Amino acid sequence: MSATRYTYLGPEGTFTEAALRTLPEAATRELVPMVSVPAALDAVRHGDAAAALVPIENSVEGGVTATLDELASGEPLMIYREVVLPIAFALLVRPGTALSDIKTVTGHPVAQPQVRNWLRAHLPNALWESAASNADGARLVQEGRFDAAFAGEFAAATYGLEALVTEIHDAENAETRFVLVGRPARPSAPTGADKTSVVVWLGEDHPGALLELLQEFAVRGVNLMLIQSRPTGAGIGNYCFAVDAEGHIADRRVGEALMGLKRISPKVRFLGSYPRAGVAPGDVRPLRAGTSDVEFMDAADWLARSQDGRI
């Protein structure tokens, strides 16, 4: 395995590359762009890279389905870190292009909902066609296949383009979350401000089936930060759920919730426990009464004493 190589959703100039370069270790790694999320993750699975950074959630569009589906299937991988990057688009064009010249635009499919209102107001007749990534859209503009692309302003120099308009976003404070994914190993130690990700498969379809899964978290005071359904491919009505929960697998409340899921679900895939981006332990909401590790251990001790007649 190449311990010094990280892959990412390319080509050069993507927001994913910008997010990857915020990691301190990126300065000492070979950063290799890949054509797709599956390609970036497969490089890790095959031992060609130590880790891959891929987008997983957008504050406007929600979960990035290509990443969620890849992590739910195939050889298991684990999340070790997350990066949250503010997102604003620039309209990149070939030098000399005016707004009135633009008849075709491109960008990643996730970008379109984030600039839809701006397009309607400024380029109502422009034809949109999706690209594999925002940077790939910039490359297509460079080649003359489109008039403009929505991408990061930083991508302009890479592709010999100009930023005709900057700071484009329909939603203020839009962000995208990226995850650093590697091969499975022991999670890092709890920090007090962690997140645990799993994929849970729904068993026999019956009234309250999803509620039963959610109750495993609720009764233990574990807050859910994301839950998104994804089809399993086994037919209409067959779903799995990507779940992000506050806390670390080493926390008693989280560990017991995962054990509860394992008892009632046909399949649970652990995707990792890792530090939350930009959150310090002091920023985490206080635990609900009865859900701390000390209280779980006290309850277990009480049960053991009761079983031994030491009441």
Side-chain angles (χ1 to χ4, degrees):
M1 175 182 294
S2 176
T4 62
R5 181 179 298 142
Y6 282 4
T7 57
Y8 65 91
L9 175 61
E12 293 182 23
T14 58
F15 285 109
T16 310
E17 181 188 10
L20 178 55
R21 290 189 181 279
T22 68
L23 299 180
E25 62 267 35
T28 59
R29 301 294 193 272
E30 178 190 3
L31 307 184
V32 181
M34 306 298 285
V35 298
S36 65
V37 167
L41 296 179
D42 281 345
V44 179
R45 290 186 171 112
H46 299 155
D48 297 326
L53 193 84
V54 291
I56 195 168
E57 182 185 4
N58 178 266
S59 61
V60 176
E61 277 294 277
V64 178
T65 56
T67 300
L68 294 174
D69 291 347
E70 273 295 309
L71 292 177
S73 61
E75 185 181 343
L77 295 169
M78 271 182 57
I79 299 170
Y80 290 93
R81 295 188 63 172
E82 68 174 7
V83 177
V84 176
L85 190 73
I87 301 295
F89 294 92
L91 187 68
L92 304 187
V93 299
R94 292 181 296 278
T97 302
L99 200 63
S100 58
D101 299 327
I102 297 173
K103 301 297 186 291
T104 57
V105 294
T106 188
H108 190 274
V110 174
Q112 188 180 20
Q114 300 179 65
V115 299
R116 184 180 292 123
N117 292 338
W118 189 94
L119 268 174
R120 185 182 299 117
H122 298 90
L123 293 170
N125 298 316
L127 177 65
W128 170 283
E129 186 173 328
S130 294
S133 68
N134 295 311
D136 191 55
R139 179 185 62 81
L140 295 174
V141 172
Q142 180 190 45
E143 294 176 356
R145 295 173 60 183
F146 293 92
D147 297 325
F150 287 97
E153 184 177 358
F154 47 79
T158 300
Y159 296 97
L161 303 177
E162 294 179 349
L164 186 61
V165 185
T166 61
E167 293 298 316
I168 300 172
H169 44 68
D170 290 350
E172 294 290 336
N173 304 315
E175 297 176 318
T176 294
R177 182 165 68 98
F178 304 83
V179 288
L180 187 69
V181 179
R183 295 181 68 83
R186 181 181 292 274
S188 58
T191 67
D194 302 293
K195 179 182 294 184
T196 292
S197 298
V198 295
V199 181
V200 186
W201 275 255
L202 200 61
E204 179 187 354
D205 188 21
H206 61 272
L210 176 57
L211 178 61
E212 291 170 3
L213 298 181
L214 299 180
Q215 283 178 329
E216 295 296 331
F217 294 103
V219 298
R220 296 172 177 88
V222 179
N223 184 50
L224 298 186
M225 308 176 72
L226 177 145
I227 178 166
Q228 179 158 336
S229 63
R230 296 298 302 148
T232 64
I236 298 295
N238 288 277
Y239 292 93
C240 62
F241 294 86
V243 177
D244 286 346
E246 284 185 340
H248 193 283
I249 192 173
D251 299 333
R252 292 290 292 268
R253 66 188 184 282
V254 177
E256 290 201 12
L258 298 186
M259 286 193 294
L261 290 177
K262 183 61 179 174
R263 289 195 301 270
I264 65 174
S265 171
K267 182 179 178 182
V268 180
R269 175 170 284 194
F270 174 64
L271 296 181
S273 290
Y274 46 94
R276 293 170 58 185
V279 179
D283 300 328
V284 177
R285 76 186 73 196
L287 295 177
R288 196 180 76 195
T291 63
S292 70
D293 280 6
V294 171
E295 289 162 316
F296 268 93
M297 289 186 287
D298 284 347
D301 181 64
W302 171 85
L303 180 62
R305 287 186 286 105
S306 298
Q307 291 172 330
D308 291 341
R310 295 181 287 119
I311 58 174

